[in-house]
């Protein structure tokens, strides 16, 4: 099961949406619009939920089933929202696979590399919760390496 946070409308208790200095980390304690985050009928996030609350909800739900997050880092680096998602993953204790590249567009040639990283993680009993960097760019072109694992 996958969750795509860009699939539906969302709100934010942060007037700037992705200000990393804003205290919201998607929890009922930190979110400023908690009163409208949960659909009373389903007890799940709804279209009016703060995006951070909805994202963290799905992170926690996924972690509970040995799920993980794949974070796509483009050539220019992570966006502000992605940095917030990483902070929330750290708080939840969720495994993050971060892809990175040296290309403007991604081809399907990098998909086996991320698949292998996920398979290896499952074969290892899902024990390693460190952020795992997975290069999916052109191995024949220059690129800056980075450590395979980083503390979240």
């Amino acid at each position: 099961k996958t969750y795509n946070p860009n699939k539906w409308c969302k709100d934010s208790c942060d007037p700037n949406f992705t200000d990393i200095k804003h205290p919201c980390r998607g929890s009922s304690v930190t979110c400023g619009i908690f009163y409208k985050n949960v659909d009373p009928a389903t007890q799940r996030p709804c279209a009016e939920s703060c995006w951070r609350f909805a994202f963290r909800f799905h992170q926690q739900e996924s972690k509970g089933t040995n799920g993980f997050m794949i974070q796509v880092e483009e050539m220019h680096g992570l966006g502000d929202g992605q940095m917030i998602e990483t902070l929330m993953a750290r708080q939840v204790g969720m495994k993050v696979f971060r892809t990175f590249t040296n290309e403007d567009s991604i081809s399907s040639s990098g998909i086996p590399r991320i698949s292998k990283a996920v398979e290896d993680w499952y074969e290892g009993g899902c024990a390693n919760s460190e952020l795992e960097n997975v290069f999916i760019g052109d191995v024949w072109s220059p690129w800056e390496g980075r450590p395979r694992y980083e503390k979240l």
Side-chain angles (χ1 to χ4, degrees), residues 36-103:
K36 68 177 194 174
N37 279 334
V38 179
D39 181 324
T42 64
Q43 294 301 301
R44 299 179 64 79
C46 54
E48 294 81 31
S49 298
C50 173
W51 76 265
R52 298 177 195 211
F53 177 86
F55 199 89
R56 184 178 180 128
F57 175 91
H58 290 285
Q59 284 180 321
Q60 290 171 316
E61 189 174 63
S62 180
K63 182 184 183 313
T65 60
N66 284 331
F68 54 87
M69 180 171 95
I70 295 178
Q71 187 172 59
V72 179
E73 180 180 339
E74 297 179 16
M75 279 183 56
H76 65 276
L78 294 175
D80 293 342
Q82 289 177 302
M83 288 187 262
I84 294 166
E85 292 164 1
T86 303
L87 289 172
M88 290 190 297
R90 177 186 305 143
Q91 291 176 346
V92 169
M94 174 175 234
K95 176 69 173 181
V96 177
F97 295 94
R98 179 180 292 155
T99 65
F100 68 105
T101 186
N102 58 356
E103 299 179 288

